Amino acid sequence: MDIKSVGVVGAGQMGNGIAHVLAVAGYDVLLNDISEDNLSRALAQIDKNLERQVSREKITAEDKATALARIKTTLKLTDLGPSDLIIEAATERETVKTAIFEDLLPHLKPETILTSNTSSISITRLASRTDRPEKFMGFHFMNPVPVMQLVELIRGIATDEQTYQACLKVVENIGKTAASAEDFPAFIVNRILMPMINEAVYTLYEGVGSVKSIDESMKLGANHPMGPLELADFIGLDTCLAIMNVLHDGLADTKYRPCPLLTKYVEAGWLGRKTQRGFYDYRGETPVPTR
């Protein structure tokens, strides 16, 4: 199947990045969200990120204008029905994702491919609640989408080869690299990354090191570009906790038990950068550790 039009569900951090890279690659994009404010913010962020690419001579001003013209927005989820490919990038809650697909189903073309940008939820289970499990797969971008080179492609138990090849072609067209992952909890990247972040939170919780010493140790001692606690704040502590719960529930191994301190921060609403407080306080000129 030759994919030309893509519907993106959710105009948040991931959704606007996905819309950005697709539009630059020549796809017609329809971006959906339940909030007009979210759509306006997404377009402003896409404009800003495209301008950054122009200033770095990655694209031309003409490329920017053409890409922006390819992105349309809508508050009506059903408007995405005629799209060749739909990428769901809503909040990381299975009930929300399932409801989105249920609402979309009556409006889809028979050949439309459905995908989810989920970072951890079972693709097989999501697919089983649609009328096209063979045309359903995981399409997991990394954050920030315009910068990160990897896309995890996850086949459910029913995903057919034609669907996989069509999605692989999209990944290649947007200039990224695909990693094929089997449909097990958290796939590849988060299966490895999240336990490391959780262990860093345990290291803080047990008093082995401070926020500053833990992050500096991993940056300077392991050559990581960001410390694990800084990275957790960037991802969102609620997302980190959700993925740890998926790992713990799905694999039933105590090594994936979320750290109680991570749970406490989420209960406090200190979710990282997006709420201005997490393991760091971002309300001043420079981030200050909260422990």
Side-chain angles (χ1 to χ4, degrees), residues 94-105:
E94 190 166 346
T95 51
V96 173
K97 295 179 185 297
T98 302
I100 286 167
F101 291 124
E102 281 176 0
D103 290 347
L104 276 169
L105 289 180

Side-chain angles (χ1 to χ4, degrees), residues 13 48 143-144 215 219 225-240 265-266 269-288 290:
Q13 198 171 25
K48 181 180 170 185
N143 185 29
D215 277 353
K219 283 195 282 193
M226 292 173 82
L229 301 175
E230 184 185 2
L231 180 56
D233 276 358
F234 180 75
I235 293 165
L237 304 193
D238 52 339
T239 302
C240 295
Y265 268 71
V266 173
W270 291 19
L271 308 180
R273 284 179 177 270
K274 62 187 173 185
T275 59
Q276 297 291 294
R277 276 191 292 188
F279 292 113
Y280 292 86
D281 188 327
Y282 299 92
R283 293 173 298 174
E285 282 187 27
T286 54
V288 179
T290 53

Side-chain angles (χ1 to χ4, degrees), residues 197-208 254 257-260:
I197 286 175
N198 194 51
E199 196 61 31
V201 183
Y202 266 116
T203 306
L204 178 65
Y205 176 62
E206 293 168 6
V208 179
T254 54
R257 184 171 71 97
C259 179

Side-chain angles (χ1 to χ4, degrees), residues 30-282:
L30 185 56
L31 181 60
N32 161 259
D33 201 277
I34 55 172
S35 158
E36 189 65 59
D37 285 348
N38 286 354
L39 289 171
S40 298
R41 272 196 296 270
L43 288 175
Q45 188 63 49
I46 292 167
D47 187 289
K48 181 180 170 185
N49 290 340
L50 285 167
E51 189 54 45
R52 186 179 293 130
Q53 289 183 313
V54 172
S55 68
R56 292 176 180 172
E57 299 184 350
K58 300 252 171 126
I59 61 172
T60 66
E62 188 181 351
D63 292 335
K64 176 191 168 182
T66 307
L68 282 172
R70 289 194 187 107
I71 302 171
K72 304 286 186 285
T73 63
T74 181
L75 291 169
K76 283 181 65 180
L77 181 65
T78 53
D79 287 349
L80 274 56
S83 304
D84 299 326
L85 167 68
I86 290 175
I87 302 174
E88 170 277 314
T91 188
E92 190 69 355
R93 291 217 308 274
E94 190 166 346
T95 51
V96 173
K97 295 179 185 297
T98 302
I100 286 167
F101 291 124
E102 281 176 0
D103 290 347
L104 276 169
L105 289 180
H107 306 277
L108 300 176
K109 300 186 296 186
E111 65 272 23
T112 297
I113 293 172
L114 289 176
T115 68
S116 176
N117 182 58
T118 179
S119 51
S120 60
I121 297 166
S122 167
I123 298 303
T124 299
R125 198 162 60 237
L126 288 173
S128 72
R129 291 165 191 165
T130 73
D131 62 354
R132 60 194 70 206
E134 71 288 346
K135 290 189 177 301
F136 192 109
M137 70 181 303
F139 209 126
H140 181 216
F141 289 83
M142 305 296 128
N143 185 29
V145 178
V147 176
M148 302 296 277
Q149 288 301 300
L150 186 76
V151 178
E152 284 182 313
L153 289 180
I154 307 105
R155 300 185 220 218
I157 199 167
T159 307
D160 64 24
E161 184 62 21
Q162 192 179 0
T163 299
Y164 173 78
Q165 290 299 331
C167 290
L168 180 61
K169 189 175 175 187
V170 173
V171 175
E172 290 169 350
N173 287 346
I174 62 177
K176 296 194 185 294
T177 301
S180 294
E182 293 301 313
D183 184 25
F184 289 98
F187 319 130
I188 296 172
V189 173
N190 283 317
R191 171 77 177 262
I192 296 165
L193 176 65
M194 284 303 156
M196 184 199 77
I197 286 175
N198 194 51
E199 196 61 31
V201 183
Y202 266 116
T203 306
L204 178 65
Y205 176 62
E206 293 168 6
V208 179
S210 65
V211 169
K212 186 168 182 265
S213 63
I214 291 166
D215 277 353
E216 281 193 345
S217 293
M218 294 309 292
K219 283 195 282 193
L220 303 179
N223 210 24
H224 289 193
M226 292 173 82
L229 301 175
E230 184 185 2
L231 180 56
D233 276 358
F234 180 75
I235 293 165
L237 304 193
D238 52 339
T239 302
C240 295
L241 180 60
I243 296 169
M244 287 309 301
N245 280 325
V246 165
L247 280 165
H248 192 231
D249 295 344
L251 298 170
D253 192 324
T254 54
K255 72 180 179 180
Y256 299 116
R257 184 171 71 97
C259 179
L261 184 60
L262 179 59
T263 304
K264 191 177 288 292
Y265 268 71
V266 173
E267 287 173 347
W270 291 19
L271 308 180
R273 284 179 177 270
K274 62 187 173 185
T275 59
Q276 297 291 294
R277 276 191 292 188
F279 292 113
Y280 292 86
D281 188 327
Y282 299 92

